[in-house]
Amino acid sequence: MTDNPLEQALTKLTDIQREAVAWNDGAMLVLAGPGSGKTLVLTCRIARLLDEGRNKSFRVLALTFTNKAADEMKERVANFVPGLEERANIGTFHSFCGQVLRQHGTHLGIKPDFAIYSQDDDRKAVLKDALKRAGMDTQAVRYLSLIDRMKTWLIEPKDAVSCLAGTTDAYEFSQAYLAYEDQLRRLNVLDFNSLIFEAHRLFSNFPAIAGWYRRFYPYWLLDEFQDTNEAQYRLLCAMAGQDFKNVFAVADDDQIIYQWNGASFRQIQRFRADFTPQLIQLPTNYRCPPAIVAAANRLVSYNVQRTEAKKPLIAGKKELKLPEHEHIQLRNFDSDQMEAEEIAKEIAARGKSQWGQTTVLARTRALLERMQKALQVQQVPAVIAQRQDNFLSAEIRWLVACLVEIVRPLDRRNLAVLVDAFNRFAEIQASVDQVLSDAEASGVAYLRAWVEAAKREVGDGSARLKLIEAASRLEPASAMKIADEILKEFASQATGNDSDLAEDLAAWNEISNDIRKHFGRNISLDAFLQQLQLRSKAPSPQPDTVTLMTVHGAKGREFDFVYLIGLAEDVLPSFQSCKKGDGSPEMEEERRNCFVAITRAKESLILSRAESYRGWRKKPSRFLVEMGFCQPQTDA
């Protein structure tokens, strides 16, 4: 048996997996069902390309949708080909576009140290300031969500009027959109959707730059390709130009559950038309017991928007820990309250050793909140997993704002965050306006002016002076070292594992370790802050904790024990999709939501429904009928 990790992995591949890994030049579309080993295929192919090209200078580009998935792929590649992993650029679409714009954004007037605003509060404040500057009614801040949609479709302000032809406020919107973009540029800020929007504009307006990326990265791999929206697909095409075809896309048309963000079966069809890829299917599911695989096949067969000749899933799991009757079960309850209470009792009875590998999935957060309360009654620790765009504690918000102030010393919006956060936990009343006035009068940077103002506010004997002094020593070269000192001070103050500060400290340690691990310990401060902005600030759950997730949040995850609750008409499927009717795109997506949920289970799947939700009687979900677990009910 070889000691080479890559060779060991390659020998364990199936024939069809090995065929995908061995693919060299040209486009390929891999239709990979849930639990089919797609991440192994992707990482083995990256590692093989690098291993066989040791004496060459090319690099490999791999794009996915979450930092968690990207980090996992980086770790596997580093294990397969130690020392070569630096030649693989593996990250999310947004982080890659951030890299592109830092290197080449000056062609569009974007300075390399731009900030990224992903939070609605920040973006609303930018739009409000922009409207005031333009002399417009600040009520036009309502246009922010429409601006987001325009960017998703790569529509610039100058084209907004024609796109909204026939609407009464098209011109007003276009002016608000233009003012917003001008204000972002004035602040040297990009919002989340601007990353892909501006990268596409760069490649379209400067094709030589796109050509450089094709030469530098002759092999591209795209994970979860079914989740791409219009902007991401057109970014890919702009970067590829007319002739580049070395695109290896892994997708599953049965897991398209982000239509609200522009994901569509149409992207897969366009890829097949534009790139004419070879098609390979990986239908074998190694995750779920056969009964779950059979139920998933029955369910998804009702959908029409699927690739022609799509193969059904094949059960490939060999080791089954539980008896067959426990692989998939149905629970019926009188009410949603009883559903939560009884499921909580069942999970509690499983014992602490199984809680960490147990998840409860639901279509809506409201059901999860009821479930969390029921688990608390049973003294079972449970967390609702969700993306968190900002830290919760004033202490860590202040620290981040101090670091940002180093790279953007004239950012008034950030100064306001800094002052407000420190005021909250230090219980002082420093004034943003006074700090700005002091800075302008003395000609010093905002941070220095704040330090002096804060010292006056806290007084000589305050325990907060140590923090203020540390902030006064911040500079780019030593910022992270001083930040670590500040964090140690905060750690000594944190009380209780459930405090916001304790959670934020745990999240900071996880995030900073991941960034340094994958981007190097010598990462620049501005690059570190941009990566920090792109990542969720929620810490990983503690061991022996039950994870509660929406179906959308569960994508890409797997657990031994999965409870899918709320399987009733108007719940799952949702009320909106039921209104659209069977056969509608909305109903097909709801069916895919259910498909994704049930295929998260590695050992046992418990399906659950109640006779009534929020006091309203509900029929069993049509998905239970389609999976063969109950008979259809009529209105009679």
Side-chain angles (χ1 to χ4, degrees):
M1 184 72 176
T2 178
D3 292 331
N4 184 301
L6 177 58
E7 290 183 7
Q8 289 180 1
L10 293 175
T11 59
K12 294 177 182 179
L13 297 175
T14 64
D15 290 344
I16 194 67
Q17 288 174 332
R18 192 173 293 109
E19 182 181 347
V21 168
W23 184 260
N24 279 319
D25 296 330
M28 171 169 280
L29 175 61
V30 180
L31 291 180
S36 62
K38 72 175 181 64
T39 303
L40 179 62
V41 167
L42 281 165
T43 51
C44 279
R45 182 167 187 262
I46 294 170
R48 180 192 67 78
L49 289 168
L50 295 175
D51 187 55
E52 293 178 359
R54 286 178 180 271
N55 298 324
K56 300 177 182 178
S57 60
F58 71 85
R59 292 176 176 248
V60 175
L61 176 64
L63 300 180
T64 185
F65 282 84
T66 67
N67 286 297
K68 181 179 182 296
D71 290 346
E72 180 185 350
M73 290 170 65
K74 290 173 186 175
E75 289 181 15
R76 289 200 190 191
V77 171
N79 180 58
F80 288 153
V81 283
L84 295 180
E85 67 272 15
E86 295 300 321
R87 288 174 52 193
N89 187 352
I90 304 172
T92 65
F93 273 88
H94 290 89
S95 65
F96 171 68
C97 289
Q99 295 171 25
V100 169
L101 294 171
R102 278 199 301 275
Q103 292 178 322
H104 306 286
T106 51
H107 292 280
L108 300 175
I110 299 170
K111 299 175 184 176
D113 61 345
F114 60 84
I116 300 170
Y117 282 2
S118 60
Q119 297 176 62
D120 282 349
D121 286 347
D122 289 332
R123 296 166 59 242
K124 285 177 182 176
V126 171
L127 180 52
K128 195 169 185 178
D129 289 345
L131 294 169
K132 288 179 181 178
R133 180 181 286 269
M136 298 179 63
D137 185 351
T138 56
Q139 292 297 313
V141 74
R142 66 185 184 277
Y143 289 133
L144 189 60
S145 60
L146 182 54
I147 289 174
D148 288 342
R149 290 202 295 275
M150 287 288 171
K151 288 189 178 182
T152 298
W153 287 93
L154 300 177
I155 297 169
E156 298 188 34
K158 63 182 178 63
D159 300 319
V161 172
S162 60
C163 291
L164 296 174
T167 59
T168 56
D169 56 352
Y171 179 75
E172 181 186 13
F173 167 76
S174 69
Q175 294 305 297
Y177 185 8
L178 180 61
Y180 176 71
E181 291 299 292
D182 287 345
Q183 183 72 356
L184 288 177
R185 192 60 52 86
R186 188 177 293 109
L187 296 172
N188 193 30
V189 165
L190 296 178
D191 64 17
F192 199 58
N193 287 321
S194 290
L195 292 169
I196 292 175
F197 182 91
E198 297 291 357
H200 173 267
R201 194 157 69 94
L202 178 75
F203 289 139
S204 299
N205 294 345
F206 300 93
I209 296 176
W212 182 87
Y213 275 90
R214 292 194 291 271
R215 293 188 297 273
F216 197 66
Y217 297 107
Y219 296 100
W220 303 353
L221 297 92
L222 306 175
D223 186 23
E224 303 284 8
F225 182 78
Q226 75 278 353
D227 292 340
T228 53
N229 59 24
E230 176 76 9
Q232 288 156 340
Y233 185 77
R234 286 172 58 186
L235 170 75
L236 170 69
C237 292
M239 194 164 63
Q242 294 295 319
D243 301 319
F244 186 85
K245 300 293 183 183
N246 279 357
V247 183
F248 185 94
V250 178
D252 185 8
D253 44 16
D254 291 330
Q255 296 190 69
I256 302 172
I257 62 171
Y258 298 116
Q259 283 186 184
W260 54 268
N261 193 44
S264 170
F265 179 63
R266 180 168 171 257
Q267 256 71 273
I268 294 177
Q269 294 175 310
R270 289 168 73 185
F271 180 72
R272 296 188 71 180
D274 295 341
F275 289 85
T276 59
Q278 177 80 23
L279 179 66
I280 280 183
Q281 296 195 51
L282 302 179
T284 304
N285 177 295
Y286 300 100
R287 176 190 299 154
C288 308
I292 299 176
V293 172
N297 280 330
R298 290 194 294 270
L299 174 70
V300 81
S301 67
Y302 283 82
N303 273 1
V304 175
Q305 288 193 336
R306 308 175 73 205
T307 301
E308 292 181 14
K310 177 75 180 288
K311 295 180 180 179
L313 296 179
I314 299 170
K317 189 178 180 72
K318 302 298 183 185
E319 297 182 6
L320 302 173
K321 299 178 183 178
L322 301 175
E324 188 174 343
H325 72 273
E326 293 186 28
H327 292 166
I328 185 166
Q329 303 169 67
L330 176 63
R331 305 278 189 264
N332 294 287
F333 303 101
D334 290 337
S335 68
D336 49 351
Q337 182 63 39
M338 185 175 291
E339 178 182 42
E341 291 173 356
E342 294 302 316
I343 293 294
K345 290 177 184 177
E346 182 174 330
I347 292 173
R350 286 190 177 277
K352 186 176 182 180
S353 63
Q354 294 185 357
W355 292 346
Q357 270 303 310
T358 298
T359 187
V360 181
L361 305 182
R363 182 65 177 83
T364 66
R365 182 181 172 88
L367 288 175
L368 297 179
E369 290 172 348
R370 184 186 293 273
M371 193 73 240
Q372 187 178 36
K373 290 177 182 176
L375 287 165
Q376 288 172 347
V377 171
Q378 298 298 321
Q379 298 184 319
V380 176
V383 295
I384 299 177
Q386 61 181 352
R387 181 178 174 83
Q388 184 177 304
D389 286 327
N390 202 357
F391 290 106
L392 299 174
S393 66
E395 290 88 343
I396 304 302
R397 289 190 186 196
W398 169 77
L399 173 59
V400 173
C402 286
L403 296 175
V404 170
E405 205 64 33
I406 300 302
V407 296
R408 300 203 308 277
L410 299 178
D411 188 335
R412 295 192 177 201
R413 170 73 179 161
N414 182 68
L415 176 67
V417 173
L418 186 158
V419 173
D420 177 67
F422 195 84
N423 284 354
R424 282 174 55 198
F425 73 83
E427 298 180 341
I428 62 175
Q429 298 295 324
S431 163
V432 176
D433 290 339
Q434 186 62 53
V435 171
L436 290 170
S437 178
D438 292 349
E440 291 172 5
S442 59
V444 300
Y446 293 163
L447 183 59
R448 170 58 62 183
W450 171 81
V451 165
E452 298 304 321
K455 283 181 179 179
R456 293 193 300 269
E457 285 285 326
V458 301
D460 293 338
S462 173
R464 303 301 185 187
L465 276 176
K466 188 174 181 180
L467 296 173
I468 299 171
E469 291 290 351
S472 72
R473 294 184 282 115
L474 284 169
E475 56 183 39
S478 61
M480 297 311 297
K481 181 179 178 180
I482 295 172
D484 288 339
E485 294 176 13
I486 294 172
L487 289 163
K488 288 179 182 177
E489 180 69 17
F490 285 148
S492 69
Q493 302 170 9
T495 57
N497 292 329
D498 59 345
S499 72
D500 288 347
L501 179 55
E503 285 192 18
D504 280 354
L505 287 169
W508 175 280
N509 288 334
E510 281 186 41
I511 297 167
S512 60
N513 287 338
D514 281 344
I515 293 174
R516 289 165 172 169
K517 179 178 181 180
H518 297 298
F519 293 91
R521 302 201 68 82
N522 295 322
I523 184 173
S524 67
L525 178 59
D526 61 328
F528 176 87
L529 290 171
Q530 288 181 20
Q531 283 298 319
L532 182 68
Q533 184 63 41
L534 291 171
R535 293 169 181 254
S536 172
K537 312 307 183 295
S540 297
Q542 293 293 313
D544 306 324
T545 299
V546 175
T547 304
L548 311 178
M549 309 178 81
T550 64
V551 175
H552 288 91
K555 182 85 177 300
R557 303 288 300 275
E558 60 182 24
F559 296 85
D560 286 347
F561 305 98
V562 172
Y563 289 81
L564 176 58
I565 64 175
L567 277 163
E569 290 290 285
D570 296 340
V571 182
L572 180 62
S574 69
F575 173 75
Q576 291 80 7
S577 62
C578 288
K579 280 177 61 179
K580 295 290 185 178
D582 216 357
S584 67
E586 290 79 6
M587 185 58 73
E588 291 215 354
E589 175 154 8
E590 285 294 280
R591 190 171 285 112
R592 290 192 293 265
N593 276 320
C594 189
F595 175 86
V596 166
I598 67 175
T599 54
R600 301 308 96 196
K602 295 164 62 178
E603 303 296 338
S604 178
L605 170 68
I606 294 88
L607 306 172
S608 171
R609 63 168 287 264
E611 293 288 341
S612 68
Y613 286 86
R614 300 176 66 180
W616 295 90
R617 293 193 63 80
K618 302 291 182 183
K619 292 190 293 186
S621 170
R622 70 190 69 193
F623 302 150
L624 288 174
V625 176
E626 292 167 0
M627 286 187 283
F629 290 105
C630 63
Q631 296 298 315
Q633 291 188 9
T634 64
D635 294 324

